[in-house]
Amino acid sequence: MEKIKIAGRDDLKLKGTVRVSGSKNAVLPAIAASLLTRDKVELGNVPLVKDVHTMLTLMKGLGADFHLRRNGLSLEVKTISSAEATYELVRAMRASILVLGPMLARSGKAVVALPGGCAIGLRPIDLHMNGLQKLGANITLKHGYITAEATQLQGADITFEKKTVGGTENLVMAACLARGETVLRNCAREPEVVNLCSLLVKMGAKIEGLGEETMKIQGVAELGGAVHDIIPDRIEAGTFLVAGALTRGNLLLTEVEPSHLITVIDKLRISGAKVEVKKNKIRITGSEVIRSQDITTSPYPGFPTDMQAQFMVLMTRASGTSIITETIFERRFSHVNELLRLGASIEVSGDKAIIHGPTKMSGAEVTATDLRASASLILAGLVAKGWTVVNEVEHIDRGYENIEGKLRRLGADIERLSG
Ligand code: EPZ
């Protein structure tokens, strides 16, 4: 098992420039979208993270040919040779569920393992299945597998009970090849959903209302290929912005989309950091005094749940008490116990974490439980005096491209140890 070892310093100030990679949560549905056509789909700005490799292994099993290069990925699914997404792959990555809609729409059948448990919450997929049933799919669940079948999907008017990123993505993809008009209401408005929809439009789909709560999709008989760039990863960017504020440093982020980070930037400014925004660039200058504040996670454009753990670390250095309310996932405080090991002062009560600051943390051995929790432990390790060793770092590789290399170039003393 690999570990990450960090020599933390209370007076560390990160400095320099960091290039933001392409978005993990945008590229995964874009890869699944290539199932909707037999023509070639070319994706640019693809992050070389573990989840991309897992998704490509799954796609290969379904019949896809692909070429992954440093500067891009080309995919071609001339025919879907197998309709099955196995438990082994789905267990490794829940986003595998995103092949359900496009496979069903393209070939009339999809057999996908039901994703099991997850560290951050129950994460059911009932809204995906209800929506596909409303498009006329016959869905059965047996031996842990969902079987979805439909000779021809039919357009329908569907309202999501709650906002779901993956549910919106699966339904939009399926509706593109359904007969007639589909109206989707209470859609997720995340930039990753919009990036997927703009790819689908380039492939020939007819979609109105990109980025809005209601989208209208006119089904078409078939879709073609496209050339498309993946948006920058706003969560990776947010993680580095917090690193800049946390270490009272001075960082320039390049190849980033500031308009996707408005709420995060607002909160950083409230905490006292100076944030300057230019085209595809953000400069953050940390302040000596970090101010406490309350944060509530919510669907986009609200404060992203994927930034909650990282912000919690910043609030451990803030003067005063901060309350973080997690409204999206019911078990997304597992990083708290590990931060307590580093000397933070945090209490959890239901969906709220109460952070008392400022605290001086000291290095210790900790264990990551999920992707964003591992990012928060690395951030904490930067400013916890002495050595911090983060175990189970495979979580971090799922969504961050070479995070320790990027941090080292900014002045952090961080290395990866093989187990
Ligand atoms: C996406 O997950 C992201 N993953 C998550 O990022 C992110 O945390 C989440 O959206 C929320 O922003 C990818 O894009 C690959 P949801 P997703 O469906 O689509 C409930 C990361 O760290 N729900 O929007 O799975 C669900 O349980 C990951 O990069 C249902 O009840 O999230 C949750 O409480 C973690 N039934 C809420 O809705 C459903 O059918 C939002 O989930 C679907 C969801």
Side-chain angles (χ1 to χ4, degrees):
M1 274 296 177
E2 288 191 329
K3 304 170 188 246
I4 285 187
K5 192 175 177 187
I6 309 155
R9 294 195 347 253
D10 185 48
D11 60 353
L12 174 71
K13 290 187 186 307
L14 294 182
K15 287 199 170 60
T17 301
V18 56
R19 177 191 168 277
V20 174
S21 302
S23 161
K24 168 191 75 91
N25 290 348
V27 75
L28 298 177
I31 292 173
S34 68
L35 288 161
L36 290 164
T37 175
R38 59 171 170 272
D39 298 339
K40 192 177 272 186
V41 173
E42 304 259 6
L43 300 176
N45 200 26
V46 171
L48 300 179
V49 294
K50 209 160 141 213
D51 275 8
V52 166
H53 297 290
T54 307
M55 195 67 170
L56 290 175
T57 308
L58 171 60
M59 292 293 288
K60 193 164 182 48
L62 302 176
D65 291 322
F66 65 85
H67 296 288
L68 178 61
R69 303 170 302 280
R70 173 139 282 295
N71 59 357
L73 167 67
S74 67
L75 293 138
E76 209 167 356
V77 191
K78 293 199 182 76
T79 52
I80 294 184
S81 53
S82 156
E84 188 168 326
T86 61
Y87 179 55
E88 191 210 341
L89 286 165
V90 174
R91 189 157 69 96
M93 182 186 67
R94 305 180 60 80
S96 311
I97 198 71
L98 293 169
V99 301
L100 182 63
M103 253 206 311
L104 176 64
R106 164 96 181 269
S107 68
K109 183 169 185 178
V111 181
V112 179
L114 193 67
C118 173
I120 67 177
L122 284 176
R123 303 185 75 176
I125 52 154
D126 54 324
L127 303 176
H128 300 234
M129 300 205 278
N130 299 351
L132 293 173
Q133 275 167 330
K134 288 192 180 128
L135 291 181
N138 176 33
I139 296 190
T140 51
L141 178 60
K142 225 171 172 194
H143 307 304
Y145 279 79
I146 305 155
T147 300
E149 289 170 298
T151 36
Q152 169 65 61
L153 294 173
Q154 301 287 338
D157 193 318
I158 299 167
T159 302
F160 290 107
E161 247 171 71
K162 66 193 291 188
K163 284 192 171 40
T164 159
V165 172
T168 304
E169 292 167 340
N170 245 329
L171 265 293
V172 166
M173 289 192 274
C176 288
L177 293 178
R179 185 168 293 146
E181 179 180 87
T182 296
V183 182
L184 297 177
R185 301 180 196 279
N186 196 26
C187 294
R189 302 169 59 205
E190 272 67 3
E192 296 77 24
V193 175
V194 177
N195 197 222
L196 171 68
C197 292
S198 55
L199 165 61
L200 294 168
V201 168
K202 286 178 192 157
M203 292 166 70
K206 295 194 167 44
I207 309 176
E208 289 167 35
L210 274 64
E212 288 164 28
E213 290 199 346
T214 301
M215 283 196 271
K216 279 193 184 153
I217 303 112
Q218 303 299 335
V220 295
E222 64 176 13
L223 292 172
V227 177
H228 178 72
D229 276 337
I230 297 299
I231 53 173
D233 196 310
R234 63 191 169 103
I235 306 299
E236 183 201 23
T239 304
F240 278 99
L241 289 174
V242 168
L246 182 71
T247 63
R248 302 171 172 104
N250 187 320
L251 301 183
L252 177 66
L253 275 61
T254 60
E255 301 190 32
V256 60
E257 180 42 69
S259 65
H260 294 165
L261 287 150
I262 292 173
T263 316
V264 171
I265 291 172
D266 280 354
K267 293 292 182 188
L268 285 163
R269 286 179 172 145
I270 293 170
S271 80
K274 185 173 160 211
V275 183
E276 298 157 275
V277 167
K278 292 207 176 74
K279 186 168 170 11
N280 297 124
K281 287 191 173 65
I282 303 175
R283 178 175 292 284
I284 183 156
T285 311
S287 68
E288 285 311 313
V289 177
I290 299 172
R291 286 195 286 273
S292 60
Q293 59 185 300
D294 298 345
I295 290 168
T296 299
T297 65
S298 61
Y300 190 88
F303 187 88
T305 171
D306 295 346
M307 281 300 302
Q308 178 254 98
Q310 299 93 316
F311 243 83
M312 187 180 287
V313 176
L314 182 62
M315 291 301 104
T316 65
R317 295 197 108 190
S319 314
T321 299
S322 311
I323 299 177
I324 294 184
T325 307
E326 174 56 59
T327 69
I328 308 284
F329 293 110
E330 64 280 9
R331 282 200 305 261
R332 201 166 205 180
F333 285 143
S334 48
H335 42 283
V336 170
N337 284 336
E338 302 304 307
L339 291 174
L340 295 180
R341 287 183 47 72
L342 295 169
S345 168
I346 307 169
E347 299 151 58
V348 171
S349 158
D351 63 356
K352 294 187 184 341
I354 299 117
I355 303 105
H356 306 285
T359 49
K360 285 193 182 304
M361 294 194 274
S362 60
E365 188 147 4
V366 291
T367 302
T369 46
D370 62 82
L371 170 59
R372 307 306 169 183
S374 44
S376 75
L377 297 179
I378 288 179
L379 290 177
L382 295 173
V383 294
K385 211 162 175 207
W387 292 108
T388 290
V389 174
V390 183
N391 292 296
E392 319 247 343
V393 288
E394 65 280 0
H395 292 292
I396 200 100
D397 297 331
R398 295 190 50 188
Y400 291 86
E401 201 176 8
N402 183 23
I403 190 165
E404 73 268 23
K406 288 188 179 185
L407 284 169
R408 217 176 4 252
R409 279 194 290 278
L410 300 173
D413 184 345
I414 179 170
E415 60 180 319
R416 184 175 289 247
L417 308 175
S418 49

